[in-house]
Each structure stands twice: as structure tokens, then as C-alpha cells.
Amino acid sequence: MPATPHPLTLPLLSGARRALAKAITLVESTRPEHEAQAQALLSEVLPRAGRSVRIGLTGVPGVGKSTFIEALGVRLADAGHRVAVLAVDPSSARTGGSIMGDKTRMPRLTVHPNAFIRPSPSGGTLGGVARRTRESITLCEAAGFDVILVETVGVGQSETQVAAMTDLFLLLTLPNAGDELQGIKRGIMELADVCVVNKADTNPQAAVRAQTELRTALTLLTPHDAPWRPVALRASALTGEGLDGVWATIEAYRAAVDLRVKRQGQAAQWFDELLREAAWRAFQAGLDPARLHALRAEVTRGERTAVQGVAALLTPDPYSGFQFH
């Protein structure tokens, strides 16, 4: 740690929730000066990170994600765990605004002394997770939270990216899973480590059938040499039925999977993604805007194919004045 640490470092490492909230606001900021401060803070607290179980949670609309998270979170917090919930709200494509209503849907967990809830707008980020969710996880761990729950905006192909930053991917479905499975893309099912039929109390027989169907689907999708065989469970966030079994399954997963190796692979993947983004920004900065606009217009008018347009862009025209800076 430097001689003069960031003002938030010490209170954050002491577990102060107010400092954690300020730190997450800092890493979410898009202002260049805040970016530098955020990276300095992350460097100082990084040695204290990595000591949690990171759980990504998604599900079809109406499945009761927030209710499930609150019921499981309160149960764990009462047992002495420190639970952080990063609930990603959908952002408006037009205004960039978001509902930010997760705290109102988790009233008991919101006031629990062992819990921290942070709703963040997704900002249109692919994967349904906020742009800085990875850094937020690091900050929560540094503050001493040992269970991190990342709630995403719903089921879609882009939601699979939550698996790239969590240890375990949990998929919630409803008792009428026969219909629901048709709406869940294969990629989501392939990434699921645990599937939970929520609201099992509303129709117990349908929940049992759904569990059986999920087990069959997971068996077909899972490679024979996988270190973990995905599990299908039944639970009710309303009554608490099955929640202990869900946590026991998560603990069994931690014992079966080498999370250190998994996280190393995730870190390497994230590095590559950031490198591609930085390389693309650098490439764009070296382009002649007029040349880019002209080629895009030609493609739009059907005078060139998209492949031809990109090829022309990558082969500078000596008469156009186009050059890299």
C-alpha cells in the first residue's frame, strides 16, 4: 500500500458499507479523473479480494429473482455470512435511465447489518451486467463480504457473460418448465451449474415434473468428463422450502471445482476482452472520419459489400489522404 492511501481504502478494508458504496460509485464513473482514482483504489485493496463465493443468478421474467435472493441472502446473513448483492437494472435504450428498484423488492435484506445491496444500471452492456461489475465484486470482497450474488436483468443470449465473472451460475425457472425451457436458449442451459425450480409451493406436482425435465436436459448438455454435474432442485423463496438444499449444493460445488484455476481463466479472458476494446479504440482514433463515412455510405447504398468496405478501409487509398496517426 502506498504511503498515502486513497481516502476510501482504510474504511473500505474495515468493512464500512458507506465507504463501499462510495467506492463502487467511483469505479462506475466514466470521468477520466475518476478512472485513475478507481484503479489506484483497486490496486490498494486487491490483496484482500478473492475470498468469497461469487454466484451469478438469472431467470425468466416473473420467476422471482429478487424474492429468491432476499430469502437466501437473509438466511445466510442470519447464519453469520456477509452477503453482497449486485443487482443490475436494465437501462433505457433511449434515455439511459433504469428502474433501480431492487432495494424496494428486498426490504428485509436491505436493512440487515450483514448485507449490502447495490443496484447498478447495465448501461446497455452486453451480458446484462454493469460495465464495472467485476471491479465491484473486488471491492465487496475487500470489504469482507464472503457471499457475492450478481442478479442479472433476465434470460437472453447476452446473459451468458455473467458466467465469465462468477464461480457458479444459477438459473431459476418456474414449475411450468416445459414451456419455460422453450424460451431459454441452449447457451444459457449449457452454462448453468445449478437450476432451481422456484415457486415450487404453487404447484408441487408441476415442480417435480419440471425438475425431472431439467435433469434430463442438463444430463444431455453436460460433457461426460465435466468436474461438476449440474443439479436441478426445487425451492420456494416464499416458504423457505429447499433453500438449505440450494446452499448445500453451492458448498458441494465449491468442494468439487478448482475455483482458483477457474478464476485465473476468467481473468485471462477479461484481459483479452479489454485488449480487444483498447485496440479497437486505438484503431478508430487513427482513422480518417471522412474515409470511414464514405465507405459506410457505399456499403449502405449497396455499392460495396460489407466485406469489401472493411477491406478497403484496411487498405489505405493513397489518393484519399487516409492514414493512421
Side-chain angles (χ1 to χ4, degrees):
M1 188 176 295
T4 306
H6 190 281
L8 290 175
T9 298
L10 295 180
L12 176 67
L13 294 177
S14 71
R17 289 186 293 181
R18 183 176 179 84
L20 176 56
K22 289 183 177 180
I24 293 178
T25 298
L26 183 65
V27 302
E28 288 180 344
S29 174
T30 57
R31 296 175 59 177
E33 63 271 26
H34 288 172
E35 172 76 16
Q37 294 176 33
Q39 293 307 313
L41 174 62
L42 285 164
S43 295
E44 293 171 11
V45 304
L46 190 59
R48 292 278 294 274
R51 304 174 187 177
S52 77
V53 56
R54 306 166 183 174
I55 303 167
L57 191 145
T58 192
V60 296
V63 78
K65 291 191 297 292
S66 296
T67 304
F68 181 88
I69 288 174
E70 177 174 60
L72 181 61
V74 168
R75 215 175 191 87
L76 295 174
D78 285 344
H81 290 281
R82 298 195 71 206
V83 181
V85 179
L86 301 175
V88 183
D89 267 322
S91 292
S92 166
R94 293 185 177 181
T95 66
S98 58
I99 301 171
M100 307 292 278
D102 289 274
K103 281 195 172 184
T104 63
R105 294 194 292 268
M106 305 180 197
R108 290 186 299 147
L109 193 59
T110 297
V111 298
H112 200 293
N114 284 343
F116 173 82
I117 300 176
R118 175 68 181 218
S120 299
S122 65
T125 303
L126 179 65
V129 289
R131 182 178 60 92
R132 298 298 189 190
T133 302
R134 292 178 186 266
E135 286 94 341
S136 298
I137 290 173
T138 297
L139 294 171
C140 289
E141 291 177 340
F145 289 89
D146 63 313
V147 178
I148 314 293
L149 300 171
V150 182
E151 178 193 3
T152 62
V153 297
V155 167
Q157 190 61 44
S158 64
E159 294 296 299
T160 60
Q161 289 213 349
V162 73
M165 67 179 71
T166 53
D167 301 324
L168 179 144
F169 185 67
L170 191 152
L171 173 65
L172 289 177
T173 68
L174 291 165
N176 56 334
D179 297 329
E180 297 300 329
L181 284 173
Q182 300 302 317
I184 300 174
K185 290 184 170 59
R186 178 187 175 96
I188 297 284
M189 291 294 297
E190 288 176 332
L191 289 172
D193 300 301
V194 178
C195 289
V196 178
V197 181
N198 193 31
K199 301 185 179 180
D201 57 305
T202 61
N203 192 334
Q205 291 183 339
V208 171
R209 288 195 300 270
Q211 183 183 23
T212 302
E213 292 175 8
L214 283 168
R215 282 175 175 165
T216 301
L218 292 171
T219 299
L220 295 173
L221 292 172
T222 306
H224 293 295
D225 59 349
W228 171 259
R229 310 295 295 180
V231 178
L233 306 170
R234 300 190 311 276
S236 169
L238 185 63
T239 67
E241 172 198 352
L243 293 181
D244 289 338
V246 171
W247 181 246
T249 301
I250 293 171
E251 293 280 53
Y253 175 88
R254 296 176 70 184
V257 177
D258 190 336
L259 296 183
R260 181 183 63 85
V261 172
K262 182 171 184 175
R263 290 182 180 183
Q264 287 175 346
Q266 290 174 339
Q269 180 183 353
W270 187 21
F271 175 84
D272 290 343
E273 289 176 6
L274 292 179
L275 181 60
R276 282 191 290 270
E277 290 180 9
W280 171 240
R281 287 195 299 268
F283 175 72
Q284 284 183 307
L287 292 176
D288 176 12
R291 171 75 168 163
L292 176 61
H293 178 75
L295 285 170
R296 181 180 284 118
E298 290 177 12
V299 171
T300 302
R301 292 193 299 266
E303 298 170 7
R304 294 179 187 256
T305 67
V307 172
Q308 292 168 348
V310 171
L313 190 62
L314 296 175
T315 306
D317 181 350
Y319 301 104
S320 69
F322 166 75
Q323 61 181 352
F324 288 103
H325 302 293

